[in-house]
Amino acid sequence: MKKLFVLKSVWQFVEAALFVALGIVTIVFSNNETYWKVIGYVTGALLAVDGLLRIVMYFVNEDVDAAKVNLIICISEVTLAVFIFICSEVVVYYFTLLVAILLLVLGFVSLVDSIVKIVKKTEKVSIAILRIIVGAALIALGIVALCFFPYNRSVSSSVNTISIMLIISGIITAIAGVALAIFTAVCIHRIKKLAHDNNEEIAKLREEKRSK
């Protein structure tokens, strides 16, 4: 259980760092067509790394349902990453839409996973509620990204429009990464505090038994 917690924490911090890195790269290269391909490569790398981390989680996760969900997302991410690496120049035209879908999927998975764990009582309610809040925040950011996506092909092909969309998407992606990092840090602090309180309670009970 402790090993799984450590792996999940590391994974979430890595995922947060990748989101922030992607956001920064997108903003930096948004006005330079020459480097738009770099944005595609970084996006593909993010999906590939996250997919590989999910494979690790699949083998160590004791929750069969959660493991299956991770495996499905992993296959989807790796497949999409391969496509992006092959068609990296095309990615910038649909980058905002891609970011929106990614955030919506991650948010939805976080919500469903948290609700299932609350029902099964396999996770502290306070932690699950935090995960629900983060899931809802990711979905909200995804919806915002969808609102900014230019669905008119002639408009979306404009260099200026693409640059603006990349900047907006970069900001949204970076915010999502920071939010995920803060959430992970809060969860770690919360779980450590609960473990400390439990240890103190156990020590107190043992002391009471000895005194009797």
Side-chain angles (χ1 to χ4, degrees), residues 90-101 149-150 153 156 162:
V90 181
V91 171
V92 292
Y93 295 101
Y94 302 98
F95 186 76
T96 306
L97 186 61
L98 181 64
V99 167
I101 293 171
F149 180 71
R153 180 59 181 163
S156 64
I162 293 171

Side-chain angles (χ1 to χ4, degrees), residues 35-96:
Y35 293 102
W36 280 356
K37 187 182 286 188
V38 175
I39 296 173
Y41 288 143
V42 174
T43 305
L46 183 150
L47 290 168
V49 171
D50 193 57
L52 292 173
L53 287 171
R54 286 182 186 276
I55 289 177
V56 176
M57 294 302 297
Y58 172 75
F59 287 108
V60 300
N61 202 335
E62 295 175 0
D63 188 332
V64 178
D65 292 333
K68 286 179 179 177
V69 171
N70 271 330
L71 183 61
I72 292 169
I73 296 175
C74 161
I75 294 170
S76 302
E77 284 184 328
V78 172
T79 303
L80 185 57
V82 172
F83 172 77
I84 289 173
F85 278 126
I86 295 171
C87 309
S88 58
E89 291 181 346
V90 181
V91 171
V92 292
Y93 295 101
Y94 302 98
F95 186 76
T96 306

Side-chain angles (χ1 to χ4, degrees), residues 111-123:
L111 280 176
V112 173
D113 188 41
S114 301
I115 293 169
V116 169
K117 286 181 177 178
I118 288 175
V119 173
K120 290 185 175 181
K121 297 180 180 179
T122 56
E123 188 174 68

